[in-house]
Structure formats: structure tokens, C-alpha cells
């Protein structure tokens, strides 16, 4: 019976043999008068040659260590063996002792460039100069952070400056439990490969072929979400982990990116490309030392000769596939795809959060449903928003909104328009055909308190979206160009947060365009034009509110899809508003009649609501807790004072007997507060 072939020797074991054989040759060489370093060692040439053949075979069969260094990181043969020799010195004490013999310095127990070059000349016939250039300062292995240089003594040649394995590499090769990602200061999200692709397979496989051939692939899209999804798919189609490197105003540290191991780096450059030119030098540096890197860039980035894929926003089919990658085919994925534009990493984060919340409540993870995922996606989006917006929490519904019937019908149309948009674009061939773009922009005008903001809250509740109010004082900057950057961030975050944007008092920014007198006036008009263009391309709903529609430039109004005028409420609407603003009828005092308030005070809904809240507080401070007419009169008096409307005895008529009980002049006449019940 034939013996089985011995197991192949590892690269680390071959490096140990090479160092020990080199030390043996160096000791024998000392007995001779002369030697030629460039010619290698004269001792035991057959043994060096046989070892060199086994080293070449090791590279061909690619054990785990050399497969990573040669295949994934793209090191040359010389660079690969430099790292392996440095690892052998760390792993085997006898190799460290042998290295001191090769260095001819008992204080140095590390590989020196000169000794490394002589070893490769002897074992593999590699020219001395080629190996030396890899091992001296500035070689590829050092630039990638695999090895590091030890401080040289004064006047020591570069060829004698010792090299050692970087600590991160030592942990990887010499310890059993090593993470796939190197220790780094980068903001990284690690996403494992998915069995399902979000984008069409033909697109993903074609893009992956380009990436494998070129080593760099730019993904250009309006938002990072779409390009990030393709980045995840590019990793999944190759069975790799994706390392999502978060975006910032500057490209991340190149050395940190080059240290990423065990997956596909996907670097977000959206913010960096907006604040500075396309970072070509940075890309050249990173691409030289990574086998593949994916770069996410904005739609207007000029990428030059770098291979680039231009991507539209995620359509309904792509969104469905993204949710199916996490939840499988079924009603959960279908329902969530209709509501949300999310990439797989966002979906996974929401799923983890929903599962954690359910477990804390004592439930099983299998109980996570579409509503729980939707809630977490909305919360996730709200947390991504910056200081430029305020997240308005509301459970308002259309039944609570008191407006004329035609306004309610228009608001219902807006809901239908938004819900039908994906189908119109996907099935009816009207994608991008409208001169108004793909955004759903609306103008709500009317006097303060007529329900504009409340209507926006009802829309958000009906659609299951967040509502973000924009603080224009924070957005509009006196510095040229800063407003556009702030607005761009607002819209991108809103798309990530699945929300409606509400620009309160929009005439502060959308008023009639001023006469151009200087550069600031000219740029103010450019800012407004940019905002309108961004609203049109925004894949969501943006609402402008104004108290005076006449202050708005008519050119802007023509670019809006819906314009709603909220009137002051008539008598029947005021009756409903008064009833809704007060506690339930059971908390009213007997005989409380609202007709006098409805007929005498032409107030907007916001003012009536304030009066109801104030009257409820006055009632709660008394033992019976019932709302009485004197509570309403006192609250109405204070609201009229606040909004600057008349509040004389004639204005109150029969209700004047309940006015404040201390003498006071109103319109030249004394007023006396009378206490008592209705």
C-alpha cells in the first residue's frame, strides 16, 4: 500500500527554512576572504535551488497566507516573501537569532533589506536590486501597512535598516482569533453578503467584471443610497463582505482605507465631492494597494477616465428585491417596498432594531411584522436628520382637520398622487417625462392658524411618513455657497429619512426675486433656483407654507404641483373648531353655549385651539374640573390680546360680564371683571 503524500509545507515553514539556511551560509561565508552580495550565497547552491522551487510551488497553490498577500492585496512575489519572512522571525525564536547572523549585528534580530535580497537571489534567482527596492523604505508592503521600519542608527545605510511585521499583521498571522477588519479609525459598517441582489443581476455582474478588471469603480447617483446598494450587490455577487466607509466632507485617510482586509471597501465620497474637486490623487494612491475599491460619488461628479456606472434612483422592483433579500418574498416585502426607498444595510439595521425591541418586550423575533419594520425605518431616518430640521411628531388625521370640502379633496388627491407615483413611472412609461420633475411640491397659503401646518401633519400620518420642518434661519447663510450645501444635506437626509419636508414661512426664501445690485443679490436668486430644482428632483413631498401668497414670485408658483389656499373658517367651521378644541362634553359645565363665541369672534383654528387649551387648564385648577363660560371668556380675552385684536366690552357683548374683575381701560372705557357662574 502506497503512503499518502505528505501535506504541503506552509509558506511560513518555508520562510523559516530559508532564514536558517541563509544563516548557515553566512557563517560558512565568514571563513572566506571575499563575497559578492549581489550574487547570493555560494554555500549549498543545490539546497537553495530546491527550496526556491518549493517556494514557487507554494505561491502557485496559494496557501491562505500567500493567497491573501498575492491575490487579494496584489503584492509582488518579492513583497509577499518579505511579509512572510518578517512573520517567520516573529513566529520562531530561532529565526530571530538567524536574522541577527544575516544582519551581522547581534542587536538586530529582524530581517534587513540587504539580507532579504541575498536570500531571494540565492533561492529564486531574483535580481538583487529588484528585491532590495521592495524591502527598503517606501516599498509596497510598507505603504500598505503590512510591515514597518525600525528607526535606523545614525549613518546606517537604508539596506541595513531592519523591517518587522506590523502589529496588525502579527495578530492576523500568528494568533488564532483575528477579525476580518483591521483596527481602524474609520466609520465602517460591515455588511455580510446577501443571497439576493437588489439591482438586476446583469447590471451587477457586468459592473463586477469591470471592477475586477480595473480595480476601481465609481458609482454615480443622486443619493448615496442607490450607489450603496450596488456596492453591496457587487460584494454579494462575489461572496464578499462589504465594508461601507461613511462619508465626510473630506476623503477618509488613505492609509486607513488601504488597511481594510477581508472584504470589498465601499467608500462614500458624496460629501467630499461636493466640498472639493474629485479626489483623483487619493484614488490613485488607494487603488495601487487594494485589489478592488468601490467609490460612491454624486450625480454631478466628474470622474474623468475612471470607470463609472450612472445609476437612477431605486425603482419599485429594486426596492422590492432589497426587502426580499432580508424578509423573503411575501406581503411584508411588498408592503414595505411601496412605502420606503431603502438600501439593504438600512433594512438590516431596522430589522435588528425591531427584533431587539420585541425581545425586550418579551416577544419572539419571529413576531416582527411590516409595521414594526416600518416604525424602525422611520425612526432610523429621523435620527439621521441634522440640526437643520425639526422632526414633528403627530398622530393627526384628516378627520381632525376642519377645512372646506374642496381643500380636503385636494389633500386626498396629494396622498393618491404620492402612492401612485411608483406605478406611474414603472408601468406607464412616464418616468422623468414631466417638466416639473419627479418631486411632489406643494404650496399651502393662508392666514396664520388656518390649518396649513396641521394639514401637513395629516398628510404625513396618512402616508406613514415623518414630517420635518425646515428652519430657514439655519439654512439660509450669508456666506455665498453655504445655503446650497445646507439645502443639499437637508434633501439627502430627508430621502434617507422617508419624510415630508415642510418649509414654514417660505416667503422668507421664495419671495419675489430682488433686483440684482451686487454678487450677493445675484447669488440669492441662484439659491432659490437651486432649491426649486432640488424640490423637483426630490423623491418625496415638499410643502411650502406662506401667510401671504402675493409675496411669492409667480414664476415659482408655476413650478409647483399643488397650490392650496386655506381660508379663514366660516361660522359652521368655527363651531366644529370650538367643539374639537374643548374637552369632551361631559367636562362642560351645564348650560355652556358656544354660539356667542362662534358668532362674535372670527378667529382662525389655531387661536381657537389655544383658547380651548387655556380654558381646560383654568377648569382643571378648580375642584369640579368643569369648563365654564368664564373660563372661555378669560382665555379668549388673553388670545385676542396676544394676536392684537379688539377686546372691548362691545366686542364681547353679553359675554362682557365675565371679563377680568379688576378695573381696566379698554378703548377708553372701564372694564370690570365679574366673578360668577353661567
Amino acid at each position: 500500500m502506497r503512503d499518502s503524500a505528505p501535506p504541503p509545507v506552509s509558506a511560513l515553514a518555508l520562510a523559516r527554512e530559508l532564514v536558517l539556511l541563509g544563516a548557515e551560509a553566512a557563517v560558512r561565508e565568514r571563513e572566506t576572504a571575499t563575497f559578492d552580495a549581489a550574487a547570493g550565497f555560494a554555500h549549498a547552491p543545490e539546497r537553495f535551488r530546491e527550496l526556491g522551487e518549493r517556494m514557487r510551488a507554494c505561491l502557485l497553490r496559494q496557501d491562505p497566507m500567500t493567497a491573501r498577500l498575492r491575490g487579494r492585496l496584489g503584492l509582488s512575489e518579492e513583497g509577499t516573501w518579505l511579509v512572510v519572512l518578517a512573520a517567520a522571525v516573529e513566529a520562531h525564536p530561532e529565526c530571530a537569532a538567524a536574522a541577527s547572523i544575516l544582519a551581522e549585528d547581534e542587536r538586530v534580530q529582524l530581517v534587513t533589506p540587504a539580507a532579504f535580497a541575498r536570500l531571494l537571489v540565492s533561492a529564486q534567482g531574483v535580481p538583487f536590486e529588484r528585491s532590495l527596492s521592495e524591502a527598503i523604505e517606501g516599498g509596497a508592503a510598507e505603504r500598505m501597512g503590512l510591515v514597518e521600519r525600525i528607526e535606523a542608527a545614525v549613518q546606517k545605510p537604508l539596506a541595513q535598516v531592519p523591517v518587522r511585521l506590523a502589529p496588525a499583521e502579527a495578530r492576523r498571522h500568528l494568533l488564532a482569533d483575528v477579525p476580518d477588519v483591521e483596527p481602524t479609525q474609520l466609520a465602517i459598517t460591515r455588511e455580510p453578503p446577501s443571497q439576493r441582489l437588489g439591482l438586476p443581476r446583469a447590471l451587477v455582474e457586468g459592473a463586477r467584471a469591470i471592477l475586477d478588471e480595473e480595480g476601481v469603480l465609481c458609482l454615480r447617483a443622486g443619493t448615496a443610497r442607490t450607489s450603496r446598494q450596488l456596492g453591496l450587490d457587487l460584494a454579494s455577487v462575489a461572496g464578499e463582505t462589504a465594508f461601507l466607509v461613511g462619508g465626510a466632507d473630506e476623503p477618509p485617510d488613505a492609509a486607513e482605507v488601504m488597511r481594510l482586509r477581508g472584504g470589498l471597501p465601499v467608500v462614500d465620497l458624496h460629501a467630499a465631492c461636493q466640498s472639493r474637486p474629485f479626489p483623483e490623487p487619493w484614488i490613485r494612491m488607494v487603488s495601487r494597494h487594494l485589489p478592488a475599491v468601490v467609490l460612491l460619488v454624486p450625480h454631478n461628479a466628474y470622474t474623468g477616465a475612471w470607470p463609472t456606472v450612472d445609476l437612477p434612483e431605486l425603482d419599485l422592483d429594486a426596492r422590492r428585491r432589497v426587502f426580499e433579500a432580508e424578509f423573503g418574498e411575501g406581503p411584508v416585502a411588498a408592503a414595505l417596498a411601496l412605502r420606503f426607498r431603502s438600501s439593504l444595510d438600512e433594512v438590516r439595521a431596522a430589522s435588528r432594531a425591531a427584533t431587539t425591541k420585541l425581545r425586550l418586550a418579551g416577544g419572539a423575533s419571529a413576531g416582527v411584522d411590516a409595521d414594526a419594520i416600518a416604525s424602525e425605518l422611520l425612526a432610523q431616518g429621523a435620527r439621521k436628520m441634522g440640526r437643520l430640521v425639526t422632526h414633528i411628531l403627530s398622530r393627526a388625521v384628516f378627520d381632525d382637520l376642519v377645512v372646506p370640502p374642496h381643500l380636503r379633496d385636494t389633500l386626498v388627491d396629494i396622498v393618491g398622487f404620492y402612492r401612485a407615483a411608483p406605478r406611474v413611472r414603472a408601468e406607464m412609461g412616464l418616468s422623468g417625462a414631466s417638466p416639473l420633475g419627479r418631486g411632489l411640491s406643494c404650496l399651502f397659503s393662508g392666514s396664520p392658524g388656518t390649518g396649513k401646518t396641521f394639514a401637513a401633519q395629516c398628510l404625513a400620518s396618512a402616508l406613514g411618513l415623518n414630517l420635518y420642518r425646515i428652519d430657514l434661519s439655519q439654512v439660509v447663510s450669508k456666506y455665498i455657497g453655504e445655503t446650497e450645501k445646507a439645502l443639499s444635506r437637508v434633501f439627502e437626509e430627508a430621502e434617507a429619512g422617508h419624510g415630508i419636508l415642510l418649509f414654514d414661512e417660505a416667503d422668507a426664501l421664495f419671495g419675489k426675486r430682488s433686483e440684482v445690485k451686487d454678487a450677493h443679490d445675484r447669488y440669492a436668486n441662484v439659491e432659490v433656483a437651486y432649491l426649486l430644482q432640488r424640490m423637483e428632483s426630490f423623491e418625496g413631498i415638499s410643502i411650502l407654507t406662506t401667510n401671504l401668497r402675493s409675496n411669492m414670485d409667480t414664476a415659482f408658483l408655476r413650478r409647483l404641483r399643488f397650490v392650496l389656499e386655506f381660508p379663514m373658517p366660516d361660522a359652521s367651521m368655527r363651531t366644529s373648531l370650538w367643539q374639537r378644541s374643548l374637552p369632551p362634553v361631559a367636562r362642560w359645565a351645564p348650560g355652556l353655549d358656544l354660539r356667542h363665541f362662534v358668532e362674535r369672534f372670527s378667529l382662525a383654528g389655531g387661536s381657537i385651539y389655544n383658547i380651548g387649551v387655556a380654558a381646560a387648564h383654568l377648569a382643571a385648577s378648580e375642584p369640579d374640573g368643569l369648563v365654564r363660560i368664564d373660563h372661555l371668556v378669560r382665555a379668549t380675552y388673553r388670545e385676542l390680546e396676544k394676536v392684537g385684536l379688539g377686546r372691548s366690552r362691545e366686542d364681547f357683548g353679553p359675554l362682557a360680564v365675565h371679563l377680568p374683575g379688576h378695573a381696566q381701560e379698554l378703548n377708553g372705557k372701564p372694564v370690570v371683571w365679574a366673578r360668577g357662574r353661567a
Side-chain angles (χ1 to χ4, degrees), residues 106-357:
E106 62 182 11
R107 298 168 301 174
V108 175
Q109 296 188 336
L110 299 169
V111 176
T112 64
F116 166 72
R118 291 194 72 191
L119 290 173
L120 286 199
V121 169
S122 301
Q124 295 190 313
V126 177
F128 182 87
E129 294 78 7
R130 195 168 83 192
S131 299
L132 189 64
S133 67
E134 176 61 43
I136 63 173
E137 186 173 0
E142 183 181 8
R143 293 197 303 269
M144 295 178 69
L146 305 175
V147 297
E148 59 186 21
R149 198 78 37 190
I150 303 302
E151 284 295 330
V154 178
Q155 296 180 346
K156 198 163 196 174
L158 291 176
Q160 299 298 331
V161 177
V163 176
R164 76 175 178 193
L165 199 64
E169 286 297 296
R171 284 192 296 272
R172 173 179 295 278
H173 297 303
L174 308 179
L175 301 179
D177 185 16
V178 180
D180 286 339
V181 183
E182 301 293 350
T184 177
Q185 299 299 315
L186 297 176
I188 293 178
T189 302
R190 182 179 184 272
E191 293 292 338
S194 170
Q195 296 300 315
R196 296 172 180 258
L197 303 179
L199 295 173
R201 178 168 289 275
L203 168 65
V204 176
E205 291 179 345
R208 182 71 208 203
I210 296 172
L211 175 63
D212 290 339
E213 181 180 343
E214 302 289 343
V216 176
L217 188 61
C218 298
L219 308 183
R220 189 161 48 201
T223 65
R225 183 183 305 109
T226 303
S227 49
R228 191 167 63 242
Q229 180 58 49
L230 180 52
L232 293 172
D233 288 343
L234 289 172
S236 295
V237 79
E240 292 183 302
T241 295
F243 299 136
L244 302 180
V245 182
D249 287 341
E250 296 183 2
D253 184 84
E256 293 286 339
V257 174
M258 289 188 291
R259 291 175 65 83
L260 294 178
R261 306 286 184 262
L264 176 64
V266 180
V267 184
D268 186 353
L269 295 178
H270 270 251
C273 288
Q274 289 176 350
S275 59
R276 61 189 64 242
F278 186 66
E280 287 199 54
W282 181 91
I283 296 173
R284 283 196 296 271
M285 182 185 305
V286 170
S287 63
R288 280 200 299 267
H289 305 295
L290 286 175
V293 60
V294 174
L295 307 172
L296 314 184
V297 299
H299 69 96
N300 58 352
Y302 174 69
T303 55
W306 297 101
T308 303
V309 178
D310 286 292
L311 296 168
E313 288 301 311
L314 295 173
D315 60 17
L316 184 58
D317 287 340
R319 284 149 50 184
R320 188 187 66 253
R321 288 192 295 267
V322 167
F323 282 101
E324 287 175 351
E326 180 67 13
F327 304 111
E329 297 182 7
V332 173
L336 292 171
L338 285 173
R339 289 183 59 184
F340 298 107
R341 303 174 181 88
S342 299
S343 55
L344 182 57
D345 57 305
E346 294 172 322
V347 175
R348 284 172 168 170
S351 179
R352 288 192 296 268
T355 301
T356 300
K357 185 176 293 186

Side-chain angles (χ1 to χ4, degrees), residues 4-8:
S4 59

